[in-house]
């Protein structure tokens, strides 16, 4: 919970301090998110393709405990990767939304009197500018919050993936050592 409060506070400050981001930054965020999403999807397929096998009844208590810990780690990693994938997709959607151009009234509709009155109102009223500012500020807050969460999530996924493979390789080495001895 404290992490989410810190993320919201940092996002709020960032949205106030940096209310606009360049298109090149958004394009970079999209590229990085897409690459990281590809990495985690590969990890997900690897995890699903290598489901943990149940321990045999004849194995030792220590082997069963190691196997249970490895299964627990497997499930934790699976959920960490799934969470990151959701956050990364949300980040891609928000960044893409920020790249969209501001909608304009098409020229062929400007000749119609209701549309012309609307366009004139848009030019003279403060309501559209205020609404645009609120919407843009909210979008920037969400963009920063998701970006910060993506950094925390990918760090957790990479750390847990490394830990999982280290443990898994330890299991492989132990069983090779036992079979050689």
């Amino acid at each position: 919970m404290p992490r989410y409060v810190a993320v919201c506070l940092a996002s709020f400050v960032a949205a106030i301090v940096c209310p606009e981001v360049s298109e090149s930054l958004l394009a970079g965020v999209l590229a990085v998110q897409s690459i990281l999403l590809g990495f985690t999807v590969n990890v997900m397929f690897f995890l699903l393709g290598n489901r943990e096998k149940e321990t045999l009844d004849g194995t030792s208590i220590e082997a069963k405990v190691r196997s249970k810990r490895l299964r627990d780690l497997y499930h934790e990693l699976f959920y960490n990767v799934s969470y990151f994938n959701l956050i990364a997709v949300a980040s891609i959607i928000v960044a893409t939304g920020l790249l969209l151009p501001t909608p304009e009234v098409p020229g062929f509709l400007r000749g119609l009197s209701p549309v012309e009155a609307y366009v004139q109102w848009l030019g003279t009223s403060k309501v559209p500018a205020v609404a645009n500012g609120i919407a843009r500020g909210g979008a920037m807050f969400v963009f920063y919050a998701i970006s910060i969460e993506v950094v925390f999530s990918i760090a957790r996924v990479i750390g847990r993936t490394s830990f999982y493979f280290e443990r898994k390789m330890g299991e492989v080495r132990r069983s090779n050592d036992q079979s050689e001895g």
Side-chain angles (χ1 to χ4, degrees), residues 1-9 83 149 156:
M1 187 66 162
R3 185 180 97 218
Y4 294 120
V5 171
V7 167
C8 287
L9 184 61
Y83 177 73
E149 190 61 25
R156 186 172 46 243

Short mmCIF file of all heavy atoms in Angstrom, two decimals, residues 1-9 83 149 156:
data_model
loop_
_atom_site.label_atom_id
_atom_site.label_comp_id
_atom_site.label_asym_id
_atom_site.label_seq_id
_atom_site.Cartn_x
_atom_site.Cartn_y
_atom_site.Cartn_z
N MET A 1 0.82 -1.20 0.00
CA MET A 1 0.00 0.00 0.00
C MET A 1 0.86 1.27 0.00
O MET A 1 0.55 2.18 -0.75
CB MET A 1 -0.95 -0.06 1.20
CG MET A 1 -1.94 1.02 1.21
SD MET A 1 -3.06 0.82 -0.17
CE MET A 1 -4.38 1.81 0.35
N PRO A 2 1.91 1.34 0.82
CA PRO A 2 2.75 2.54 0.79
C PRO A 2 3.37 2.79 -0.59
O PRO A 2 3.56 3.94 -0.99
CB PRO A 2 3.82 2.29 1.83
CG PRO A 2 3.26 1.26 2.74
CD PRO A 2 2.35 0.44 1.89
N ARG A 3 3.67 1.69 -1.31
CA ARG A 3 4.26 1.87 -2.64
C ARG A 3 3.26 2.56 -3.57
O ARG A 3 3.63 3.44 -4.35
CB ARG A 3 4.67 0.52 -3.23
CG ARG A 3 5.39 0.71 -4.57
CD ARG A 3 5.81 -0.59 -5.18
NE ARG A 3 4.78 -0.97 -6.15
CZ ARG A 3 4.38 -2.19 -6.36
NH1 ARG A 3 4.88 -3.18 -5.69
NH2 ARG A 3 3.47 -2.44 -7.24
N TYR A 4 1.99 2.19 -3.50
CA TYR A 4 0.98 2.80 -4.36
C TYR A 4 0.77 4.27 -4.02
O TYR A 4 0.56 5.10 -4.91
CB TYR A 4 -0.34 2.03 -4.29
CG TYR A 4 -0.23 0.64 -4.87
CD1 TYR A 4 -0.49 -0.48 -4.10
CD2 TYR A 4 0.16 0.45 -6.19
CE1 TYR A 4 -0.39 -1.75 -4.63
CE2 TYR A 4 0.27 -0.82 -6.73
CZ TYR A 4 -0.01 -1.91 -5.95
OH TYR A 4 0.11 -3.17 -6.48
N VAL A 5 0.83 4.60 -2.75
CA VAL A 5 0.73 6.00 -2.34
C VAL A 5 1.91 6.78 -2.89
O VAL A 5 1.75 7.89 -3.43
CB VAL A 5 0.64 6.12 -0.80
CG1 VAL A 5 0.75 7.56 -0.35
CG2 VAL A 5 -0.65 5.49 -0.29
N ALA A 6 3.11 6.20 -2.80
CA ALA A 6 4.31 6.86 -3.32
C ALA A 6 4.23 7.02 -4.83
O ALA A 6 4.60 8.07 -5.38
CB ALA A 6 5.56 6.08 -2.93
N VAL A 7 3.72 6.00 -5.53
CA VAL A 7 3.58 6.07 -6.99
C VAL A 7 2.58 7.17 -7.36
O VAL A 7 2.84 7.97 -8.27
CB VAL A 7 3.14 4.70 -7.57
CG1 VAL A 7 2.67 4.84 -9.01
CG2 VAL A 7 4.28 3.71 -7.49
N CYS A 8 1.45 7.23 -6.66
CA CYS A 8 0.46 8.26 -6.95
C CYS A 8 1.00 9.65 -6.67
O CYS A 8 0.80 10.58 -7.47
CB CYS A 8 -0.81 8.02 -6.12
SG CYS A 8 -1.79 6.63 -6.72
N LEU A 9 1.71 9.81 -5.57
CA LEU A 9 2.29 11.11 -5.24
C LEU A 9 3.34 11.52 -6.27
O LEU A 9 3.33 12.66 -6.76
CB LEU A 9 2.91 11.07 -3.83
CG LEU A 9 3.48 12.37 -3.30
CD1 LEU A 9 2.38 13.43 -3.22
CD2 LEU A 9 4.10 12.16 -1.94
N TYR A 83 0.99 -9.89 -14.19
CA TYR A 83 0.75 -8.50 -13.75
C TYR A 83 1.53 -7.53 -14.62
O TYR A 83 0.98 -6.51 -15.06
CB TYR A 83 1.14 -8.35 -12.28
CG TYR A 83 0.98 -6.95 -11.76
CD1 TYR A 83 -0.29 -6.43 -11.52
CD2 TYR A 83 2.08 -6.14 -11.53
CE1 TYR A 83 -0.44 -5.13 -11.05
CE2 TYR A 83 1.93 -4.84 -11.06
CZ TYR A 83 0.67 -4.35 -10.82
OH TYR A 83 0.51 -3.07 -10.37
N GLU A 149 5.03 2.13 -12.34
CA GLU A 149 4.66 0.76 -11.99
C GLU A 149 5.33 -0.25 -12.91
O GLU A 149 5.71 -1.34 -12.49
CB GLU A 149 3.13 0.60 -12.02
CG GLU A 149 2.64 -0.68 -11.46
CD GLU A 149 2.99 -0.92 -9.99
OE1 GLU A 149 3.20 0.05 -9.24
OE2 GLU A 149 3.05 -2.10 -9.60
N ARG A 156 10.93 -6.56 -10.66
CA ARG A 156 10.50 -7.73 -9.89
C ARG A 156 10.51 -8.98 -10.77
O ARG A 156 10.97 -10.04 -10.36
CB ARG A 156 9.11 -7.48 -9.30
CG ARG A 156 8.64 -8.57 -8.38
CD ARG A 156 7.35 -8.23 -7.65
NE ARG A 156 6.33 -7.68 -8.50
CZ ARG A 156 5.81 -6.45 -8.36
NH1 ARG A 156 6.24 -5.67 -7.41
NH2 ARG A 156 4.87 -6.03 -9.17
#
